[in-house]
Amino acid sequence: MKKKSVLLIFLVVIIVELGGFGFYATHAVSGVVPGHVYKYQGVNKVGTAYIAFSANSDRAVVTHSKQTALAADQDPTAFDRAYQKTSQQGRWTYKASGSHLTLAMVKDNAASQWQYNWVTVLGSKIYAPSFTYQINNAGQGVSHKMTSFTRLDQ
């Protein structure tokens, strides 16, 4: 009887700890994204983008240049320079909340948006099993393909 009670308590503790870790991993995006640079590997490994997320605002620098993204991460002035440099392709903003990461781009007064759902943070990687998108003049939809972001700065 005592062995069963100890085993039951042990199992409850393990389940609670795993549940706590799972909750943390799926709700940590708002704490790990601001002020850092991530490499985004597109769906089907087609296309790579580098994203520097501002620590002081909702702005993001999205570029194909790793050097530009890493330079934006140095200080607020460097971020502002990189943001201005890349804004000709569109002005990017982001929101990291709960288990969602949303990126939006405004170009020629038209907005496009990507929302990564059920985001999970594991070490230096962010995973999203699906995302919804609404692209100006191209439509909207849901992709159920896994996407990932890898943190580049430490």
Side-chain angles (χ1 to χ4, degrees), residues 103 113-117 130-134 140-143:
L103 286 166
Q113 179 173 297
W114 296 260
Q115 179 173 300
Y116 298 89
N117 304 308
S130 71
F131 65 93
T132 57
Y133 58 90
Q134 182 174 8
Q140 62 187 15
V142 177
S143 172

Side-chain angles (χ1 to χ4, degrees), residues 61-138:
V61 171
V62 179
T63 179
H64 292 290
S65 167
K66 182 178 180 180
Q67 291 76 20
T68 300
L70 289 171
D73 192 42
Q74 300 303 312
D75 59 58
T77 303
F79 185 90
D80 289 340
R81 277 194 307 269
Y83 189 80
Q84 290 304 319
K85 178 181 172 184
T86 60
S87 65
Q88 296 91 338
Q89 289 87 28
R91 293 180 316 277
W92 288 87
T93 58
Y94 77 97
K95 181 178 180 182
S97 177
S99 62
H100 301 286
L101 174 61
T102 304
L103 286 166
M105 180 188 67
V106 175
K107 183 176 180 179
D108 300 327
N109 293 321
S112 297
Q113 179 173 297
W114 296 260
Q115 179 173 300
Y116 298 89
N117 304 308
W118 298 106
V119 172
T120 303
V121 177
L122 296 172
S124 64
K125 292 206 176 238
I126 298 173
Y127 299 96
S130 71
F131 65 93
T132 57
Y133 58 90
Q134 182 174 8
I135 301 172
N136 183 49
N137 295 328

Side-chain angles (χ1 to χ4, degrees), residues 136-152:
N136 183 49
N137 295 328
Q140 62 187 15
V142 177
S143 172
H144 293 287
K145 296 192 177 188
M146 177 70 74
T147 56
S148 66
F149 300 79
T150 303
R151 187 169 160 182
L152 297 179

